[in-house]
Amino acid sequence: MKVITWLIFAVTLLLFASVYISPEYYQYVGLLPFFIPVILILNLFLLVTLILSWRKLFLIPLIALLLGYKFLLATFQIHPKNEDADGLKVLTYNAHMFYGLRKSEGAQEANVLSWLQDQPADVKVFQEFYQDNTTPSRDAVKILGKESNYKVSYHITDGNPNKRSNGLAIFSKYPIINDGKVFNAQGTNGAIFADILVKSDTIRIYNAHLESMNIDSDGLENLDGVKENYRQTLGKLQRGSLARSKQLKVLIEHMNNSPHPLILLGDLNEIPYSYTYFKLGEKYQNAFENAGRGFGFTYNRILFFLRIDHIFSSEKLNAVQFKTHREVDYSDHYPISATFSWDGFEK
């Protein structure tokens, strides 16, 4: 038991340390954090077992769990709902082109656009945003923008700007006084920003969609699918973590040079136990950790236990409410929203 206990402790330290190492330096390190939940559970089981057996070795898994408190905070929160909180309300949603799960032509699309129109958020950002200039009922920029009294910053990542396109979008009830791209990437990935004027304050909003995991969820629905696809899946995870670490470097440099307090929203394609998550956490606060409730899972597929959509903010901005909208199942992601307050801010 002593050898096993110390071995688990050594593996725990290795996994904990992996989140501070960029995949740019060691490309396979991005795979290690996926085992952190397993090692936390294993340490908890070991702690209980050793306590019940009256062994002083219980101090070892106890120390491991204390060292991993940040991972526990990133996993589960018990803050009150506080849905009536005042402040700047923001929402982010990987919309999956608005039609990924529609059961009949146009039906789901109309429902999700209607739901988004009804949301009271002051700022709404979208990844995999689909724009159709040829069909009025699918003119999302007009429906969610002009018709809803929101200003729009839409940057195309793919498609024909005069007909059908997709990209990243930021909608704001407040004036947008500046906007631009942080970086371009192929397909639907990329990052943009917009400066919004809230009363006398300027807030910078970032909308990011980092390199996708590209996991075939359908191929993991049964044991045979797992056996057949695990090598391919591991390869995609490894390549994705490397690409995201490079994109993160560009994004963080841009954020650190922001002249305004900022909020980063988006589909970062990273779990809370990752280099990307912890690198952002060095300077920016995570809204789920400050105001979330439960596990906050955001992925709407077979891998339902993933939280890969995130909201980070400058320390000046305080998250007082956070919600995962699991009632909205039009996409392979659930929307998440948060409310922020800060000193001197008046709604």
Side-chain angles (χ1 to χ4, degrees), residues 198-302:
V198 184
K199 301 295 184 179
S200 59
D201 294 305
T202 300
I203 305 296
R204 175 160 290 185
I205 303 295
Y206 282 93
N207 179 10
H209 186 196
L210 301 188
E211 185 73 19
S212 299
M213 290 186 175
N214 291 316
I215 297 175
D216 180 14
S217 298
D218 295 335
L220 302 177
E221 290 184 349
N222 53 62
L223 184 59
D224 291 336
V226 173
K227 290 179 179 177
E228 183 178 343
N229 292 286
Y230 83 95
R231 286 187 178 180
Q232 184 182 29
T233 299
L234 289 177
K236 288 180 178 180
L237 290 174
Q238 179 266 318
R239 291 189 294 273
S241 65
L242 178 59
R244 287 189 294 275
S245 66
K246 294 178 180 178
Q247 294 170 350
L248 178 69
K249 183 181 295 185
V250 177
L251 178 60
I252 284 185
E253 182 179 2
H254 199 285
M255 291 169 63
N256 289 345
N257 288 322
S258 171
H260 313 294
L262 63 86
I263 301 174
L264 166 67
L265 308 99
D267 174 9
L268 303 186
N269 275 301
E270 290 283 11
I271 58 175
Y273 328 108
S274 65
Y275 172 76
T276 294
Y277 190 92
F278 272 76
K279 189 66 177 177
L280 285 167
E282 289 178 359
K283 186 173 181 180
Y284 303 102
Q285 301 183 89
N286 183 269
F288 169 79
E289 292 188 27
N290 288 348
R293 188 178 180 87
F295 290 100
F297 301 141
T298 66
Y299 194 58
N300 183 23
R301 281 292 190 271
I302 189 69

Side-chain angles (χ1 to χ4, degrees), residues 2 103 105 107 125 144 146 158 190 192 197 220 276 287 310 339:
K2 184 175 181 180
K103 299 176 182 177
E105 184 65 24
V125 312
L144 300 178
K146 185 176 181 180
D158 191 27
I192 64 174
L197 186 62
L220 302 177
T276 294
H310 304 285
T339 302

Side-chain angles (χ1 to χ4, degrees), residues 106-120:
Q108 290 283 77
E109 187 174 347
N111 288 339
V112 67
L113 289 175
S114 176
W115 184 87
L116 290 169
Q117 270 190 311
D118 293 339
Q119 290 308 296

